[in-house]
Amino acid sequence: MTVTAERQDTGTTQPAPHPRVTDRARRERRLGWWLSAPAMLVMLLVTAYPMANALYLSLFEYRLTDPGSRHFIGLSNYGVILTDSVWWSDVVTTFIITAVTVAVELVIGFTLAMVMHKIVFGRRTVRTSILLPYGIITVVSAFAWQFAFASDSGFVNSWFHLGDFAWFSHRTSALVAICLTEIWKTTPFISLLLLAGLAQVPEVLQEAAMVDGATFWQRLWKVTIPNMKAAIMVAVLFRTLDAWRIFDTVSIMTSGAQKTETLSFLTYRQSITRVALGIGSAVSVLLFLTVVLIAVIFVKGFNTDLSQVRGDK
Amino acid sequence: MSSSSTRNRVGWIVGAVIIIAYTMLPIGWILSLSFKGGDDITNKQFLPTKWSLENFRTVFSNDLFTTALRNSIGVALISTLIGVIFAMFAAYAIARLEFPGKKLILSVALAIAMFPVVALVSPLFNMWRSVHLFDTWPGLIIPYVSFTLPLSIWTLSAFFREIPWEMEQAAQVDGATPWQAFRKVIVPLAAPGVFTAAILAFFFAWNEYPLALALTSTTKAKTVPPALASFTGASQFQSATAAIAAAAVVVTVPVIVIVLLFQRRIVAGLTSGAVKG
């Protein structure tokens, strides 16, 4: 190999300085592409292509029951949705659920993370139990809480002496039940991300602050939180997007009744139950755009550093 | 001094008990509900007055549930296997090789982790009907692989970076090709990471609801979550609540077993992406 390479070098008027290295680099590059190709292809096949397809379909009036009458109508579908009060009512509902759950989860999640960080006894048991809500099927957790609140079978009303109060017949109480279920299910995730952040706060700083006579709250606000700001932002971004896409819990607990319908549920209802493909696709595209908007607000507006989530150092 | 440390200790124990009560309450409730026989279902109490296995007999003699269970196990295992293999290749390339497009792969993975799955229901429904993947296992496996890839790629590239590279170089100096170095040196060292990624991918596939609901219609491919939802109001059961509770307990058992056995790996996997930097 080396001999032939040298011979080629002497034969050319322009000496290539490192022919072997370039060759190696090219092989490495090709191997890199081949190894990542399957993952890239599957990811794009299932998201990019269908989304492009939805974008295209959203420009048509197209009903599954009457495919012959399909025709181009430009952005009219978007106009129809954005002037419909249902869309805006669902935006408000989704916003309420997202704001309430993320705020409450951040506080509870932080407390759980602190306990898990400091605890000596039963550390393993606590960490194991915290993973159970994370692992459990969302549909199962929604059913468990629905049965707990149900006026014919649940224990909640008898525990709190509420008589026959029908939790799912009023908007506010139904939203409370939905938020509570979401909070129970997803707080463990946020608390584990915060725990990882807590572990990165240098212990020396805590000790120095303690020596200087800082109280617990002062240490929390002046030392702990500023030092794990990046982990907090990433946890909040991920949970916000997750809450914004809420579907399972709402679908099981209320099916969107009592004005508890969220944007994901509206999208689902439009695309499957009403067979209006054009307008259903437009709702899908709009849901996608709201998610992009939230991500952009976090990354540009709050300077959330995503490189550490992406893992590219 | 010693009284304050005793107080602290009691404080932490109370904290731990509160956390465990918080996580166990709904699990204990659904478990208790599943053992309530006859009229106990509507006793509005947390515990049954008499314990019965009647609900479990009901769900296991129900075809809708048993086929859904089989579909769930098959779809979740196959998508986990394929997803982890693809993620392993990509993560190795990201952690080890220099090539343009690395940033692009990580960005695509990030975008997919944030993607609203429900927005795909309508377009995938159309696509799958035209290529005859509607109501089949592959029709669910393909999207599940794609949605578990981002987390698997992050987890695995984080693990792969921790591996001592000298060993791979040593293998290459000894004449191994990059492929052999990958297979013979890296794979055994990376096995714990791969296992972690597999657990998280399995949880996703086991849990997924909207796509399973929209892309299946019969017992041929319907998985447990949509099957559970369709129990509601089924007249063949005395009470849908009791049957759902029993079925819910059955599908929660594997999750509990996995969590009990692999608690540390799951925590490491969930935080590996965010812990860097």
Side-chain angles (χ1 to χ4, degrees):
Chain A
M1 251 327 251
T2 326
V3 181
T4 41
E6 270 167 6
R7 230 176 246 155
Q8 276 169 354
D9 272 357
T10 48
T12 50
T13 43
Q14 237 177 16
H18 302 297
R20 280 204 65 188
V21 174
T22 0
D23 196 39
R24 223 193 116 97
R26 200 181 305 128
R27 271 218 316 268
E28 187 171 319
R29 192 182 282 192
R30 209 178 304 135
L31 182 66
W33 283 332
W34 276 114
L35 286 176
S36 8
M40 275 299 264
L41 282 180
V42 180
M43 288 197 287
L44 292 178
L45 170 78
V46 174
T47 53
Y49 176 73
M51 259 345 269
N53 190 243
L55 194 63
Y56 172 76
L57 282 178
S58 72
L59 305 175
F60 289 84
E61 157 108 53
Y62 183 23
R63 294 190 143 266
L64 206 58
T65 45
D66 186 13
S69 72
R70 167 175 144 168
H71 59 278
F72 184 79
I73 51 165
L75 293 174
S76 304
N77 280 331
Y78 293 95
V80 169
I81 298 162
L82 292 176
T83 53
D84 194 324
S85 65
V86 172
W87 166 265
W88 293 107
S89 147
D90 289 2
V91 167
V92 171
T93 308
T94 313
F95 182 81
I96 294 172
I97 295 176
T98 306
V100 170
T101 55
V102 173
V104 173
E105 285 177 25
L106 193 58
V107 176
I108 302 180
F110 198 82
T111 316
L112 295 188
M114 294 278 276
V115 173
M116 285 194 285
H117 187 58
K118 288 282 170 77
I119 201 166
V120 190
F121 274 144
R123 197 188 189 112
R124 215 187 111 88
T125 318
V126 168
R127 288 197 184 185
T128 305
S129 83
I130 205 100
L131 281 175
L132 289 176
Y134 168 80
I136 217 163
I137 296 179
T138 315
V139 168
V140 167
S141 110
F143 270 125
W145 285 101
Q146 189 198 38
F147 296 154
F149 282 107
S151 52
D152 61 340
S153 63
F155 63 88
V156 173
N157 282 350
S158 43
W159 278 17
F160 297 100
H161 305 291
L162 292 171
D164 280 340
F165 183 69
W167 284 83
F168 300 104
S169 305
H170 313 274
R171 182 171 194 232
T172 314
S173 55
L175 283 178
V176 166
I178 290 172
C179 287
L180 202 80
T181 308
E182 278 291 291
I183 290 167
W184 178 76
K185 169 86 174 90
T186 51
T187 303
F189 176 71
I190 213 168
S191 73
L192 288 173
L193 290 187
L194 294 174
L195 178 65
L198 267 180
Q200 287 177 351
V201 178
E203 202 59 40
V204 222
L205 287 180
Q206 297 279 13
E207 279 159 21
M210 214 148 32
V211 170
D212 290 346
T215 64
F216 172 78
W217 288 108
Q218 283 172 326
R219 272 180 286 142
L220 182 66
W221 286 104
K222 301 266 163 70
V223 180
T224 312
I225 292 177
N227 273 293
M228 53 181 289
K229 199 176 148 269
I232 295 176
M233 288 315 290
V234 166
V236 171
L237 169 63
F238 269 75
R239 259 309 295 154
T240 304
L241 287 175
D242 207 31
W244 188 259
R245 296 175 289 187
I246 178 174
F247 175 81
D248 304 19
T249 308
V250 172
S251 165
I252 295 297
M253 293 183 103
T254 64
S255 298
Q258 316 304 337
K259 297 188 81 183
T260 56
E261 183 173 85
T262 60
L263 288 178
S264 279
F265 197 81
L266 170 72
T267 310
Y268 182 82
R269 192 165 57 86
Q270 280 294 332
S271 45
I272 291 297
T273 42
R274 301 208 24 206
V275 295
L277 289 185
I279 208 153
S281 300
V283 179
S284 296
V285 172
L286 282 173
L287 173 67
F288 174 70
L289 291 179
T290 59
V291 168
V292 172
L293 184 70
I294 294 173
V296 169
I297 290 174
F298 266 90
V299 174
K300 297 276 178 213
F302 301 133
N303 272 323
T304 306
D305 182 15
L306 282 174
S307 66
Q308 54 170 334
V309 204
R310 276 197 319 203
D312 46 76
K313 289 178 199 164
Chain B
M1 191 65 198
S2 84
S3 86
S4 99
S5 83
T6 316
R7 212 170 53 219
N8 262 341
R9 180 179 285 188
V10 171
W12 292 127
I13 292 174
V14 171
V17 170
I18 292 174
I19 292 179
I20 293 169
Y22 160 89
T23 59
M24 290 311 290
L25 179 76
I27 298 173
W29 162 243
I30 200 94
L31 195 65
S32 137
L33 208 50
S34 72
F35 285 110
K36 287 182 178 180
D39 296 336
D40 252 7
I41 271 292
T42 51
N43 73 357
K44 301 187 191 180
Q45 297 306 314
F46 194 88
L47 293 173
T49 50
K50 64 174 199 305
W51 301 73
S52 134
L53 286 173
E54 172 192 330
N55 301 323
F56 291 95
R57 276 192 290 271
T58 313
V59 291
F60 276 112
S61 62
N62 176 268
D63 279 350
L64 177 62
F65 179 69
T66 48
T67 53
L69 196 59
R70 206 182 55 218
N71 290 334
S72 260
I73 294 171
V75 167
L77 286 180
I78 297 172
S79 39
T80 302
L81 184 73
I82 299 175
V84 167
I85 291 174
F86 285 4
M88 215 160 75
F89 289 156
Y92 175 81
I94 288 161
R96 282 307 292 148
L97 304 174
E98 270 320 313
F99 63 101
K102 210 193 264 200
K103 279 255 157 71
L104 179 74
I105 296 167
L106 289 166
S107 305
V108 167
L110 184 66
I112 291 191
M114 297 176 173
F115 202 88
V117 175
V118 177
L120 284 177
V121 160
S122 168
L124 269 185
F125 177 72
N126 296 331
M127 263 172 81
W128 276 189
R129 271 183 334 125
S130 60
V131 295
H132 305 292
L133 282 177
F134 179 73
D135 201 23
T136 63
W137 281 19
L140 289 181
I141 291 170
I142 297 169
Y144 288 3
V145 166
S146 141
F147 283 107
T148 54
L149 274 172
L151 190 56
S152 302
I153 291 177
W154 294 329
T155 311
L156 286 174
S157 46
F159 268 92
F160 285 1
R161 280 207 194 90
E162 307 294 314
I163 287 166
W165 297 119
E166 317 83 70
M167 292 186 61
E168 191 196 34
Q169 276 153 8
Q172 289 196 19
V173 168
D174 288 348
T177 64
W179 169 246
Q180 282 173 323
F182 171 70
R183 215 185 57 207
K184 299 248 167 80
V185 180
I186 301 307
V187 170
L189 282 170
V194 173
F195 199 65
T196 303
I199 294 172
L200 297 180
F202 181 84
F203 274 2
F204 175 91
W206 193 246
N207 181 34
E208 206 284 331
Y209 177 56
L211 289 176
L213 184 63
L215 301 179
T216 64
S217 63
T218 65
T219 50
K220 229 178 98 192
K222 201 181 273 292
T223 56
V224 168
L228 270 186
S230 67
F231 272 14
T232 321
S235 55
Q236 69 201 93
F237 301 112
Q238 281 187 311
S239 157
T241 304
I244 292 171
V249 167
V250 173
V251 295
T252 304
V253 168
V255 171
I256 293 179
V257 170
I258 293 173
V259 165
L260 285 177
L261 291 178
F262 308 113
Q263 174 259 130
R264 275 184 50 209
R265 291 209 185 297
I266 301 169
V267 173
L270 283 176
T271 53
S272 66
V275 84
K276 293 267 134 193

